[in-house]
Amino acid sequence: MSIASEILKMPSLSLGIEEEYLIVDQDTGKLIREASPKMLMDARLALGKQVSQEFFQSQIEVGTSVCKTVKEARDELIRLRRTVSDVVEPYGLAIIASSTHPNASYFTQRHTPRERYEILAQNMQVIARRMVICGMHVHAGIEDSNLRIDLMNQATYVLPHLLALSSSSPFWEGYDTGLMSYRIAVWNELPRTGLPEHFESYADFERHVSILVHAGVIEDSTKIWWDIRPSHRFPTLEMRVADICTRVEDAVCIAALYQCWLHMLWRLRRENQRWRSYANMLLYENRWLAQRYGIDGHLIDYGKGEMVPYPELIEELLSFIMQDAEDLGCMEEVEHARKILERGTSAHWQRNAYQQAIAEGATPEKAIKAVVDLLIEETMKGVI
């Protein structure tokens, strides 16, 4: 039986959100090089399996439990951020939810001494050493594996929109990169990143993965790091394109937009319709425009063949999913996108803080410290 002819049960669209934080010295704002084993033990005692080390010792990752609603996911994120902050604070440290540190040097960073990371460092060499970046991953529960693939094929359209709305990485090693999301530029250096291929079914996806596994290139599909992918561990479709949002309320908005977009795609399919699939060559153009200009720029309207201001496209997106937001009980959360457009993303705040400090006579180093201080404060906004 083909995918199109299957009778579908509505997916749960349950949510799970993973966030990666950078750990900084409260006094200097500098990124730490090594994490105290005792501090990590404290984190595990407080959060159990919901917290883990990332590739570098200066990073820490948290993950919510399976959440039925967006509001439940928000409460989980608040609890996780607050707990991690409470754990690191006695060590004179703080967390920042930013996809890059404004001036950390990747050459000084030390990776976590775990076998998985040792292998990654050996295989990727300097590319792995540059991965001092953090992201946000949103899992949406889709129990039917073929539906997972079908919705992935269509959901790629909205990924640039979500990237632009999340941008939090304008700086790299003390310089303004001119990009709203420099994290994506670093991430692109890894193999098996970017937009996924188009697959006819889950079996088709597995067949392609198995070639890489049998060739010894990867152990399993966890080493496929696309912007969106079927999770290897869970029956979910995992969105990975977004920068980490400095404020919890922005992270919740993006998770809600993603959940509603998938609900809309399922609703269309139930009505024997579907969202048009576009070639990756077109999607990559919008991905780049989102990476470079964020919400300040334009994206391509593929149907018109024209560049359209990002705010207009967000209004169009909201009009598509408003019925779904009502069904899922997250109208307020998706409409928060308009507030982000009004007051900017983290990338805007960081640039503004730096420029204001310079205008007031600060040295570049002190201006960077002002950016980190802002990130510490904004990371905990609405959390404490």
Side-chain angles (χ1 to χ4, degrees):
M1 182 180 294
S2 69
I3 296 178
S5 63
E6 289 178 7
I7 298 175
L8 291 172
K9 176 183 177 182
M10 178 180 169
S12 68
L13 295 181
S14 57
L15 288 173
I17 303 175
E18 298 166 348
E19 290 192 318
E20 299 162 350
Y21 311 128
L22 295 170
I23 307 173
V24 300
D25 184 282
Q26 284 187 4
D27 293 332
T28 66
K30 294 184 180 299
L31 194 62
I32 67 170
R33 294 179 63 197
E34 296 179 88
S36 160
K38 185 178 185 306
M39 183 182 74
L40 296 171
M41 186 179 298
D42 292 343
R44 293 191 189 98
L45 287 173
L47 293 173
K49 293 182 179 180
Q50 287 188 277
V51 66
S52 62
Q53 289 179 271
E54 257 298 327
F55 180 73
F56 286 109
Q57 294 187 48
S58 56
Q59 298 168 300
I60 192 165
E61 180 179 9
V62 298
T64 70
S65 56
V66 178
C67 300
K68 294 181 180 179
T69 66
V70 168
K71 289 178 174 58
E72 185 180 337
R74 178 192 59 209
D75 292 343
E76 275 273 281
L77 282 184
I78 289 172
R79 178 180 65 84
L80 291 170
R81 285 198 187 194
R82 182 188 298 129
T83 304
V84 174
S85 178
D86 289 345
V87 165
V88 304
E89 193 273 336
Y91 296 86
L93 305 174
I95 59 170
I96 58 173
S98 176
S99 280
T100 56
H101 186 279
N103 72 342
S105 172
Y106 66 88
F107 271 113
T108 66
Q109 290 298 297
R110 296 185 178 178
H111 67 258
T112 301
R114 287 173 52 186
E115 182 180 4
R116 175 189 175 192
Y117 295 143
E118 296 287 354
I119 294 172
L120 182 63
Q122 178 61 33
N123 288 344
M124 301 299 175
Q125 293 294 305
V126 72
I127 293 175
R129 295 184 65 181
R130 280 173 49 81
M131 301 303 291
V132 192
I133 56 175
C134 295
M136 174 181 73
H137 306 159
V138 182
H139 291 259
I142 302 175
E143 290 70 24
D144 183 280
S145 57
N146 282 326
L147 179 61
R148 213 174 303 145
I149 293 296
D150 189 37
L151 296 191
M152 181 179 77
N153 290 337
Q154 300 173 70
T156 50
Y157 172 86
V158 81
L159 297 180
H161 301 67
L162 301 180
L163 172 61
L165 209 59
S166 70
S167 59
S168 69
S169 51
F171 289 98
W172 182 254
E173 298 210 326
Y175 295 96
D176 187 331
T177 65
L179 308 182
M180 301 301 278
S181 175
Y182 188 71
R183 162 187 155 266
I184 288 291
V186 178
W187 187 244
N188 286 344
E189 295 181 355
L190 282 173
R192 302 179 297 280
T193 56
L195 296 166
E197 299 292 337
H198 185 281
F199 297 99
E200 296 301 319
S201 64
Y202 191 77
D204 186 29
F205 166 73
E206 286 193 312
R207 184 162 54 250
H208 283 78
V209 171
S210 68
I211 293 174
L212 299 181
V213 172
H214 292 154
V217 176
I218 59 176
E219 297 83 24
D220 52 49
S221 62
T222 61
K223 295 299 191 299
I224 293 175
W225 299 303
W226 294 329
D227 293 344
I228 187 171
R229 68 178 182 182
S231 172
H232 178 78
R233 296 180 297 162
F234 310 112
T236 63
L237 186 59
E238 180 186 6
M239 186 277 291
R240 304 165 51 85
V241 75
D243 275 7
I244 184 169
C245 294
T246 302
R247 284 192 185 177
V248 165
E249 62 187 8
D250 295 359
V252 172
C253 170
I254 288 170
L257 289 170
Y258 177 59
Q259 183 191 44
C260 289
W261 189 259
L262 294 176
H263 188 276
M264 185 270 291
L265 295 177
W266 174 81
R267 176 168 54 82
L268 288 178
R269 181 167 166 176
R270 184 188 60 190
E271 297 166 0
N272 202 29
Q273 303 176 55
R274 63 185 293 110
W275 193 259
R276 181 176 176 181
S277 295
Y278 293 95
N280 278 358
M281 66 174 285
L282 296 178
L283 296 169
Y284 268 117
E285 289 300 322
N286 271 353
R287 186 178 184 267
W288 157 247
L289 292 168
Q291 175 188 353
R292 168 65 178 88
Y293 299 104
I295 64 176
D296 297 334
H298 296 60
L299 298 182
I300 304 168
D301 184 312
Y302 302 129
K304 297 178 181 178
E306 297 175 357
M307 298 283 279
V308 176
Y310 181 84
E312 291 184 22
L313 292 173
I314 279 292
E315 286 300 326
E316 181 183 58
L317 186 154
L318 290 175
S319 70
F320 290 146
I321 64 171
M322 207 49 73
Q323 174 184 335
D324 308 279
E326 186 173 359
D327 291 345
L328 295 170
C330 57
M331 294 273 290
E332 180 181 351
E333 286 79 8
V334 298
E335 289 180 336
H336 179 75
R338 295 190 180 109
K339 185 173 182 180
I340 298 176
L341 294 182
E342 291 173 5
R343 49 95 162 133
T345 67
S346 176
H348 293 92
W349 311 337
Q350 292 180 50
R351 280 203 175 105
N352 291 342
Y354 183 86
Q355 292 165 2
Q356 181 178 343
I358 291 294
E360 294 172 354
T363 63
E365 184 175 356
K366 288 186 177 179
I368 288 291
K369 175 60 165 53
V371 175
V372 177
D373 288 344
L374 172 79
L375 287 169
I376 292 172
E377 178 183 353
E378 293 292 337
T379 295
M380 303 310 291
K381 183 85 72 174
V383 174
I384 56 175

